[in-house]
Amino acid sequence: MESLRDLGYSLETAIADIIDNSISANSTKVDIWCAVDAEPLALAVVDDGHGMTEDELIAAMRPGSTSPTEARSAGDLGRFGLGLKTASFSQGRRLTVVSRKGGATSAAIWDLDALAEHDDWILSLPEPEDIESLPWLETLGDQGTMVLLEKLDRLAEETEGQARSDLLSGKLVVLQRHLSLVFHRFIEGDTVDRRKLKFRVNGIVVESFDPFCRGQTATQELPVERMSIDGETIEIRPYILPHHSKLSPQTWRYYKDRSDFLSNQGAYVYRNGRLMAWGDWFRMIPRGEATKLARVRIDFPSTLDALWTIDIKKSRAHPPPAVRARFKRIIERIAGRSVRVHQGRGERILQPGASPVWTRTVGRDGMISYAPDFDHPLLRAAIESAGPDSETPVRTALLAMGAAFPVDAIYADFADDPKRVTLARDHPDELRGTIAGLKSVLDPDGDMEPRDFARLVLSTGLAGRSIEVIDAVALELYAT
């Protein structure tokens, strides 16, 4: 039992494993309670599922209560019959389970200190008056189960006072976000033959977090593919997330605050609707900036657990060979589409007809380089105005600026938060002056058409990226 404590659970993965039992019991709401300033520290998971009789509870408290080879129903999230015990002991040394069913209340306790003292499998069945004194028992309804964790020797990490409160508060925030992702389809009601499931942590409702941004119109949902193994169906559904420019600042901050698009790209593997593993391409393609918008949702039933090598924590899933072969073809296709979302935007900015200030060159060795375009009217005007004697120094200075362009710093900032990266700020009060200054350099005699001039201004980037605004200012300047 002591060895079972060290399977590698964190608080959030442990609570998720306990909640699997609540879902298997057809619960519609689950409450997690933890008073960060209480002494002694305790944590409870309370659901309104079908509950257990005393015999059922004793069987559930048995380590390895169900064989992993035993067939489970479509709504059962169990696997080894160990999750309740191993997850609980990973956080504390005392596990109490109270369950109500058919008007009767049953309770059982595993205490690792008692097991060590007596060197025997002693499962305690507390008296009714002892049950009534348990914390948060009043939140348990006429039917359901409460899992109470006490002697939490690992949760607080030997901190005290305000440091302990801050540590535990931070862990509860991580827990909320983990539940919002792992069980997002249950919260949304996106599971077969189940009502929506409501989670609360200390009374705060946990909102679902959809890793596929399905609520955004710019998200691309590609055709689903299905394959059959041993008479069971596996669904593979690819998505391409929107480029950040397609998201509002508020939406971008919401997703950025809860996940990192680069590290969370890859496959999202669901077992009976529960997210098991994510952020992995199974070593079939490299993870990178260009493919960070690609996601693949894979659904498989619990009857195929053995093929997917599910671990006790339900945090790892490895696809069987038949799935890998199909998955490889899919991810190569969708990765290409994710790359095009990025490269397409670059091509629109650097297309030849737009007279870009920068030129993009791909060498015979495949290496890509960028350099100032001396044929651009703005750079050509700057060189010509310097005079013949200064042409070489000006060209050299511009080349040096191009060679010293801070690519690494911009890449790091852009990968972290592209919404904050801008090379030209759009100040409405200064916009007219900027465009007027460009007109004095690019078309001092006013020979150009306003729309052609506006396109040229757009290519410099000095007046922002809104062609509508630039058009309006250009028409005003040429009218005067």
Side-chain angles (χ1 to χ4, degrees):
M1 293 289 276
E2 291 285 352
S3 299
L4 291 177
R5 304 193 72 196
D6 296 309
L7 292 174
Y9 281 100
S10 61
L11 173 63
E12 59 273 17
T13 56
I15 299 303
D17 211 344
I18 293 172
I19 289 172
D20 286 343
N21 295 289
S22 300
I23 294 176
S24 297
N26 293 318
S27 303
T28 61
K29 64 178 180 179
V30 177
D31 279 288
I32 296 98
W33 302 101
C34 181
V36 298
D37 298 320
E39 193 62 53
L41 187 63
L43 185 148
V45 179
V46 184
D47 67 46
D48 65 347
H50 54 53
M52 293 176 281
T53 64
E54 184 174 275
D55 289 342
E56 290 171 334
L57 174 57
I58 293 174
M61 294 292 276
R62 182 183 302 117
S65 56
T66 304
S67 169
T69 62
E70 184 176 318
R72 293 179 179 265
S73 65
D76 192 342
L77 296 184
R79 168 66 173 148
F80 296 94
L82 286 169
L84 171 64
K85 285 71 69 172
T86 55
S88 300
F89 291 141
S90 73
Q91 305 302 309
R93 300 187 61 80
R94 182 182 175 94
L95 164 64
T96 302
V97 179
V98 182
S99 195
R100 286 177 178 160
K101 182 177 183 179
T105 300
S106 306
I109 300 173
W110 276 125
D111 190 312
L112 294 185
D113 294 328
L115 266 66
E117 179 182 353
H118 298 283
D119 193 23
D120 199 358
W121 295 95
I122 299 176
L123 180 68
S124 302
L125 303 179
E127 297 296 330
E129 58 269 22
D130 295 326
I131 297 174
E132 291 300 322
S133 66
L134 294 173
W136 297 297
L137 184 68
E138 70 279 2
T139 66
L140 181 61
D142 296 334
Q143 180 173 290
T145 300
M146 178 176 78
V147 176
L148 178 65
L149 311 183
E150 298 175 288
K151 296 185 180 181
L152 298 174
D153 57 334
R154 295 178 172 180
L155 184 59
E157 300 179 12
E158 299 183 355
T159 56
E160 297 180 354
Q162 188 60 45
R164 189 185 84 160
S165 297
D166 293 342
L167 173 66
L168 294 177
S169 296
K171 287 188 175 184
L172 291 180
V173 170
V174 173
L175 170 62
Q176 286 178 293
R177 295 186 175 182
H178 185 77
L179 300 181
S180 72
L181 173 62
V182 170
F183 298 106
H184 76 94
R185 292 172 64 183
F186 292 91
I187 299 173
E188 297 160 3
D190 184 24
T191 50
V192 178
D193 298 328
R194 281 198 60 92
R195 291 176 293 173
K196 289 184 177 181
L197 182 58
K198 183 177 182 179
F199 292 98
R200 291 184 300 189
V201 177
N202 283 341
I204 300 174
V205 175
V206 176
E207 304 290 345
S208 69
F209 178 76
D210 176 16
F212 309 110
C213 300
R214 288 175 294 177
Q216 302 298 313
T217 57
T219 296
Q220 302 176 43
E221 182 174 345
L222 307 185
V224 63
E225 297 199 21
R226 295 179 176 86
M227 59 184 303
S228 179
I229 297 181
D230 295 339
E232 300 289 351
T233 300
I234 296 175
E235 287 191 351
I236 304 176
R237 192 183 306 269
Y239 294 87
I240 305 296
L241 273 59
H243 189 270
H244 72 86
S245 63
K246 298 289 187 180
L247 302 175
S248 68
Q250 295 80 5
T251 301
W252 169 257
R253 283 194 295 270
Y254 173 81
Y255 278 96
K256 176 62 181 176
D257 189 43
R258 287 159 178 79
S259 68
D260 183 86
F261 274 18
L262 179 58
S263 64
N264 285 349
Q265 64 179 279
Y268 284 68
V269 182
Y270 293 82
R271 171 182 179 264
N272 289 354
R274 195 258 210 210
L275 182 58
M276 306 291 290
W278 62 93
D280 189 2
W281 287 121
F282 305 125
R283 299 183 180 179
M284 295 184 187
I285 61 170
R287 295 165 61 192
E289 178 71 22
T291 57
K292 70 179 182 180
L293 300 181
R295 307 282 190 276
V296 181
R297 189 179 103 179
I298 303 178
D299 282 280
F300 75 93
S302 58
T303 48
L304 296 180
D305 280 350
L307 293 177
W308 284 83
T309 58
I310 302 299
D311 65 354
I312 290 177
K313 295 183 297 177
K314 305 190 191 81
S315 61
R316 184 196 68 200
H318 190 73
V323 176
R324 288 179 63 87
R326 177 77 67 87
F327 186 61
K328 182 175 178 60
R329 294 195 295 270
I330 293 173
I331 62 176
E332 287 174 347
R333 184 174 71 249
I334 68 162
R337 294 189 67 154
S338 176
V339 168
R340 287 196 293 273
V341 170
H342 286 279
Q343 290 185 342
R345 298 190 64 81
E347 289 167 358
R348 284 194 293 275
I349 294 173
L350 298 175
Q351 57 186 318
S355 300
V357 173
W358 291 88
T359 57
R360 177 179 183 270
T361 304
V362 181
R364 291 183 177 180
D365 57 357
M367 299 298 291
I368 301 172
S369 63
Y370 292 85
D373 181 7
F374 293 119
D375 289 329
H376 188 281
L378 183 61
L379 300 189
R380 190 169 62 243
I383 293 171
E384 291 175 353
S385 65
D389 295 337
S390 301
E391 179 176 341
T392 299
V394 171
R395 284 179 174 269
T396 302
L398 291 172
L399 285 172
M401 290 177 64
F405 197 73
V407 175
D408 292 340
I410 291 176
Y411 173 84
D413 289 334
F414 196 86
D416 180 62
D417 191 350
K419 286 290 188 183
R420 295 179 56 202
V421 179
T422 178
L423 299 181
R425 295 183 176 273
D426 298 337
H427 294 294
D429 296 339
E430 302 174 4
L431 191 59
R432 190 181 189 284
T434 299
I435 297 176
L438 286 170
K439 182 176 181 297
S440 67
V441 174
L442 298 173
D443 189 24
D445 298 327
D447 296 332
M448 297 178 67
E449 291 294 327
R451 189 167 183 81
D452 294 336
F453 170 73
R455 294 296 180 275
L456 191 55
V457 170
L458 180 67
S459 73
T460 70
L462 292 173
R465 297 293 182 188
S466 176
I467 185 59
E468 292 81 7
V469 174
I470 297 173
D471 269 337
V473 176
L475 288 172
E476 179 186 342
L477 289 174
Y478 276 84
T480 57

